[in-house]
Amino acid sequence: MYMKAPPGTRGILIVDDSRDTLEVLERNLAGAGYPVVGATSAAEALERLERQPVDLVITDLKMPKVGGLEVVRYVRENLRDTEVMMITGYPSVEGAVVAVKTGAEEYLGKPFTSEELLAAVERALEKLQLRRLGRGTLEEVPVAPCGIMGTSTRMRKVLNAIGKAACTSATVLITGESGTGKELVARAIHYSGRRAAAPFVPVNCGGIPEGLVESALFGHMKGAFTGAAEARAGFFHAADGGSLFLDEVREMSPAMQVKLLRVLQDCEVWMVGSSRPRKVDARILAATNIDLASLVKAGAFREDLFYRLNVITIAVPPLRERGDDVLLLARHFAAACSNELGRPIPRFSDGVLRVFKDHSWPGNVRELENVVRRLVVMSEGDLIEVPDLPSVMRFSLARANGSHRTLAEVEASHICDVLAAVGGNKTKAAAILGIDRKTLREKLKSLGAPSCGMTRVG
Ligand SMILES: Nc1ncnc2c1ncn2[C@@H]1O[C@H](COP(=O)(O)OP(=O)(O)OP(=O)(O)O)[C@@H](O)[C@H]1O
Ligand SMILES: [Mg+2]
């Protein structure tokens, strides 16, 4: 069944001259948890709207005196923060096209089931939510330490874990796909803990040539090896009192894994060429984008080191599992980039927001940041639309819009799109579709209005 309406829903206004229909709709929607008000004429509806803002207006098309199209037009022209949906007892493709052209987001032909009604309402409210996110009219998003953005359940857990980890000096293993923000998490732990005044030292374990890793980490004495003209401290010393971030820790050779394990056990570092260890107090934060436990199983990573590193684990979720966070982040990066360029912040169209939500983001937050920056730099107006997106992302839109549709559904929706594009002119539509008017008429007849999907993109 349907979930209760989300908290903060301002309600739905139903406009229908038939009291019976009003009652049925009210019962269905109230049963699903939506606050509902009714009006039996367009005039009453406008009067109510002036007194009480709602999230969604559902209006009948044919009503005496003033019809539903006028209600749609009024909402579109005056109420930016309200969606509108049309219902009608006389469904026709032309009616649907006109409703959409006037600004109705959804169109439902009678008779419809309560499931169809609730699904359409959910879609309309989701669009409203997307628009609000895109405009940035939601409440200000709290920004966590080090600018970590996110309010999804998964990210709240991460922020919670950061808070806990920051209160201790325990070793933390941060896992997550590439670009999810592992380093950002490590910085947040460091800078929100009591070590914040001491250095945070990031080391990419995969980026140092094998022969130099030991001296880079632990330092070396003068003359320890050819070319060691001076004694040099290592990253462990640099991070003394602070935190050492061992990025891509799985890249360490088996020999280095043994040495690292010893340092973690003894809190002592042997500089290369030294006969005495030195105490260091560097907190270890390690990161990996490959599951270390499975590497341990495969014999590619030491089990004892794994347990030493894995005292606290923070799993940073992939972006595709963070719900609306993707939109918050998109807005955040758009604002940051526009500020850098000294330009006004562009808006994203509903279609673009939909693509952002449906894209699988294999490169995670880094990919999103790059995409948004490129869009902002290239944008010429104040609105970023679907054609501005990289083609690989537009492909994900096509998928999201239904790769599992039947041929007949694809044909129906294409016919509707073309008709809408030419304002319902069948001669023009037939020419574009490459069929004659008669064939188009027959197809429209067999198609019926409700299947004329009202989802517009861009
Ligand atoms: N929640 C977030 N809020 C704001 N910015 C973020 C967030 N997560 C990541 N970023 C930004 O995304 C980019 C990638 O983050 P980061 O370098 O921390 O990822 P990573 O997991 O360490 O990646 P890799 O596995 O490739 O090393 C950075 O510019 C970072 O500032
Ligand atoms: Mg990283």
Side-chain angles (χ1 to χ4, degrees), residues 182-183 245 247 366:
K182 296 182 294 296
E183 180 159 348
F245 176 54
D247 203 0
R366 182 177 297 110

Side-chain angles (χ1 to χ4, degrees), residues 143 146-150 155 159 174-187 204 245 247-248 287-289 316 319 322 325 329 332-333 363-367 369-370 373:
V143 179
C146 290
I148 299 182
M149 311 269 313
M155 278 313 282
L159 294 172
I174 305 162
T175 65
E177 290 176 16
S178 174
T180 45
K182 296 182 294 296
E183 180 159 348
L184 204 59
V185 167
R187 287 179 188 276
N204 183 345
F245 176 54
D247 203 0
E248 296 181 34
T288 176
N289 55 16
V316 189
L319 185 55
R322 297 189 205 175
D325 280 4
L329 283 160
H332 165 73
F333 292 132
N364 292 293
V365 185
R366 182 177 297 110
E367 181 187 358
E369 183 172 5
N370 290 340
R373 281 186 176 275

Side-chain angles (χ1 to χ4, degrees), residues 150-294:
T151 56
S152 60
T153 316
R154 300 285 308 269
M155 278 313 282
R156 279 184 207 275
K157 275 194 189 146
V158 169
L159 294 172
N160 202 348
I162 291 173
K164 286 190 179 141
C167 301
T168 75
S169 266
T171 302
V172 184
L173 182 63
I174 305 162
T175 65
E177 290 176 16
S178 174
T180 45
K182 296 182 294 296
E183 180 159 348
L184 204 59
V185 167
R187 287 179 188 276
I189 294 171
H190 173 78
Y191 286 107
S192 48
R194 61 174 177 78
R195 292 171 178 261
F200 171 87
V201 180
V203 181
N204 183 345
C205 301
I208 308 171
E210 176 56 32
L212 299 179
V213 177
E214 187 177 358
S215 73
L217 283 179
F218 307 138
H220 60 77
M221 306 299 286
K222 183 176 175 183
F225 47 82
T226 325
E230 298 292 334
R232 227 171 56 238
F235 289 128
F236 264 91
H237 302 105
D240 204 7
S243 308
L244 183 65
F245 176 54
L246 297 177
D247 203 0
E248 296 181 34
V249 69
R250 70 190 159 82
E251 298 269 354
M252 271 192 182
S253 68
M256 272 313 295
Q257 289 180 28
V258 178
K259 289 182 177 154
L260 177 63
L261 179 66
R262 201 174 319 132
V263 175
L264 294 184
Q265 277 164 348
D266 305 339
C267 301
E268 286 178 348
V269 165
W270 294 77
M271 289 174 81
V272 178
S274 165
S275 54
R276 266 185 303 148
R278 213 177 109 176
K279 279 271 169 222
V280 285
D281 169 31
R283 183 208 195 146
I284 304 297
L285 305 166
T288 176
N289 55 16
I290 290 186
D291 181 29
L292 270 194
S294 55

Side-chain angles (χ1 to χ4, degrees), residues 4-17:
K4 281 233 166 272
T9 305
R10 294 178 308 171
I12 300 175
L13 170 66
I14 308 167
V15 196
D16 201 309
D17 57 318

Side-chain angles (χ1 to χ4, degrees), residues 35-163:
V36 189
V37 282
T40 50
S41 69
E44 190 188 341
L46 302 200
E47 193 197 326
R48 275 193 174 277
L49 282 172
E50 266 169 24
R51 276 188 283 130
Q52 183 188 352
V54 294
D55 286 329
L56 174 64
V57 174
I58 302 178
T59 179
D60 190 17
L61 173 65
K62 296 223 161 124
M63 291 185 288
K65 291 194 198 147
V66 186
L69 280 179
E70 283 310 308
V71 178
V72 174
R73 207 165 280 132
Y74 174 85
V75 172
R76 269 291 145 264
E77 284 169 10
N78 297 284
L79 307 170
R80 232 160 66 108
D81 208 24
T82 301
E83 283 301 320
V84 57
M85 179 171 138
M86 178 82 92
I87 45 174
T88 173
Y90 312 88
S92 72
V93 173
E94 291 83 347
V97 170
V98 174
V100 165
K101 275 181 74 79
T102 316
E105 283 295 347
E106 293 285 335
Y107 177 91
L108 215 52
K110 292 180 203 167
F112 46 80
T113 63
S114 62
E115 275 76 21
E116 281 166 343
L117 169 70
L118 291 172
V121 165
E122 277 187 11
R123 275 198 305 273
L125 291 176
E126 200 192 33
K127 276 181 202 150
L128 179 67
Q129 175 77 350
L130 278 172
R131 237 205 292 276
R132 285 176 181 163
L133 282 161
R135 276 204 313 262
T137 51
L138 284 186
E139 293 158 30
E140 262 324 295
V141 188
V143 179
C146 290
I148 299 182
M149 311 269 313
T151 56
S152 60
T153 316
R154 300 285 308 269
M155 278 313 282
R156 279 184 207 275
K157 275 194 189 146
V158 169
L159 294 172
N160 202 348
I162 291 173

